[in-house]
Amino acid sequence: MTDPAELYSTLQTEAARVLIGQEDALKRLTISLLTQSHLLLEGVPGVAKTTLAAAFAQATGLQGRRIQMTPDLLPADITGTKIYREDTGAFELERGPVFSNLVIADEINRATPKTQSALLEAMQETQVTIEGETLNLPTPFMVVATQNPIEMEGTFGLPEAQRDRFQFKIDIDIPSRDKQAEILDRFNYEPNLGPDDLEQVLSAEDIASARTKVKNVHVAEPVRDYVLDIAEGTQETPDVSHGISPRGSLHLLQAAKAHAAIEGRHYVIPDDVKTLAVSALAHRLVLSTDAEIGDVEPEAIIEGILDTTTPPSRGDVTAQAPAVGDGGRTKQKD
């Protein structure tokens, strides 16, 4: 299963046995998996944030480990440490839960900044350092973190540097009445139905092959410039102290490539960028003092920039798109 569109369709069908109304979040989870990135889920308790991450791990066949983040959690509880064994008279490495394919950091903002930072090296370098020894993490490796936006007591907001490591921040809203009725009907008779009931529908080879397909998706120069225009817009608005960095622009571009592949295209169009821009960029903005006092929402800033930034025409993009299967070497005919 090398086609990203088929991969996502298969994953969505299986996950729908447990998840209801989480299609957008599941698609962004798939995009992050295919681009070797990480994702932050935010929502009130009871909207299935952790269930979503666990169902994704089960259906993709990724070895998942859940970490309940608390104020007394130490960095070594995440990365691991060396323990002295009396029977051997030597120190032995005890690997932490970060040594897994998919790390679910539940309620990440309840951990102290020191413990939160234990994930920084893992997320950026796919490795951890334990008492001077650098160890590689499994492939694929992905962090899915959750946080609750309404309980502020005993929490520690993620620093800008850590927020910037997440490709997406997704707000999980309370489902509509129709979706809630579907949830009640399904789980009324199957109250124990959960992620463990899902079948593994993907293999490591499927994921690796689909990632290669995504890497080969073509990005025309006008689309690249469109991403740069959006990033520049965040740097010029007076509501923002620090706009989007090159990392943010690259995350958005890579996500657009994966979105195009999932939609069955071998080239990116402006709509791929627009669809993902808010969830890929808003959490990275550092607002000005006046904007914070005025309760300006970062999402509204990105939406405003999208409204005032002219995207390239479809013709300009498709004119530069390579023909299917040529690896980007030839131009597609009009």
Side-chain angles (χ1 to χ4, degrees), residues 119-190:
L119 286 170
L120 274 177
E121 182 184 11
M123 295 171 68
Q124 184 64 31
E125 307 294 340
T126 322
Q127 65 182 30
V128 295
T129 302
I130 301 175
E131 296 187 20
E133 181 180 359
T134 300
L135 304 167
N136 293 324
L137 296 173
T139 301
F141 174 76
M142 182 178 180
V143 173
V144 177
T146 75
Q147 62 180 15
N148 178 355
I150 61 173
E151 293 185 11
M152 304 307 296
E153 185 176 352
T155 63
F156 305 86
L158 290 177
E160 291 82 0
Q162 184 136 16
R163 293 203 310 265
D164 200 43
R165 261 62 175 192
F166 290 101
Q167 184 180 47
F168 294 119
K169 174 181 170 289
I170 302 175
D171 294 324
I172 306 295
D173 297 324
I174 295 176
S176 65
R177 181 183 176 90
D178 289 344
K179 292 297 183 182
Q180 289 193 54
E182 189 176 347
I183 291 171
L184 294 180
D185 290 341
R186 181 178 304 181
F187 292 97
N188 179 36
Y189 295 103
E190 295 184 275

Side-chain angles (χ1 to χ4, degrees), residues 2-9 27 30-31 34-35 209-218 254-269 272:
T2 61
D3 181 44
E6 182 184 356
L7 180 147
Y8 172 66
S9 177
K27 179 177 283 189
T30 306
I31 289 172
L34 296 180
T35 56
S209 297
R211 281 181 168 182
T212 300
K213 290 279 187 179
V214 168
K215 288 180 181 179
N216 291 331
V217 169
H218 179 73
Q254 291 171 338
K257 291 174 65 173
H259 187 270
I262 287 175
E263 294 295 315
R265 279 180 278 103
H266 62 285
Y267 59 92
V268 178
I269 62 174
D272 294 318

Side-chain angles (χ1 to χ4, degrees), residues 260-289:
I262 287 175
E263 294 295 315
R265 279 180 278 103
H266 62 285
Y267 59 92
V268 178
I269 62 174
D271 281 349
D272 294 318
V273 177
K274 292 181 69 174
T275 298
L276 304 174
V278 173
S279 56
L281 301 180
H283 63 286
R284 305 173 193 270
L285 298 181
V286 179
L287 302 186
S288 66
T289 302

Side-chain angles (χ1 to χ4, degrees), residues 5-19:
E6 182 184 356
L7 180 147
Y8 172 66
S9 177
T10 302
L11 180 60
Q12 184 182 36
T13 299
E14 182 63 21
R17 293 174 53 201
V18 171
L19 302 174

Side-chain angles (χ1 to χ4, degrees), residues 13-131:
T13 299
E14 182 63 21
R17 293 174 53 201
V18 171
L19 302 174
I20 297 174
Q22 302 278 25
E23 291 81 5
D24 287 344
L26 184 64
K27 179 177 283 189
R28 281 161 175 74
L29 275 166
T30 306
I31 289 172
S32 292
L33 174 64
L34 296 180
T35 56
Q36 304 180 63
S37 301
H38 316 285
L39 186 140
L40 177 63
L41 300 172
E42 183 172 284
V44 299
V47 292
K49 301 185 297 295
T50 305
T51 300
L52 169 64
F56 183 75
Q58 182 72 11
T60 55
L62 299 177
Q63 179 197 18
R65 296 284 298 276
R66 176 178 175 271
I67 307 171
Q68 181 60 56
M69 307 293 267
T70 56
D72 60 347
L73 200 69
L74 299 175
D77 295 326
I78 295 176
T79 59
T81 188
K82 290 186 177 180
I83 299 175
Y84 180 75
R85 302 292 186 187
E86 291 187 5
D87 55 340
T88 62
F91 284 91
E92 181 179 312
L93 177 65
E94 184 76 20
R95 296 173 183 260
V98 75
F99 286 90
S100 56
N101 297 122
L102 193 149
V103 177
I104 303 173
D106 216 358
E107 297 186 290
I108 190 172
N109 55 335
R110 289 198 175 280
T112 63
K114 182 177 182 180
T115 302
Q116 291 174 5
S117 66
L119 286 170
L120 274 177
E121 182 184 11
M123 295 171 68
Q124 184 64 31
E125 307 294 340
T126 322
Q127 65 182 30
V128 295
T129 302
I130 301 175
E131 296 187 20

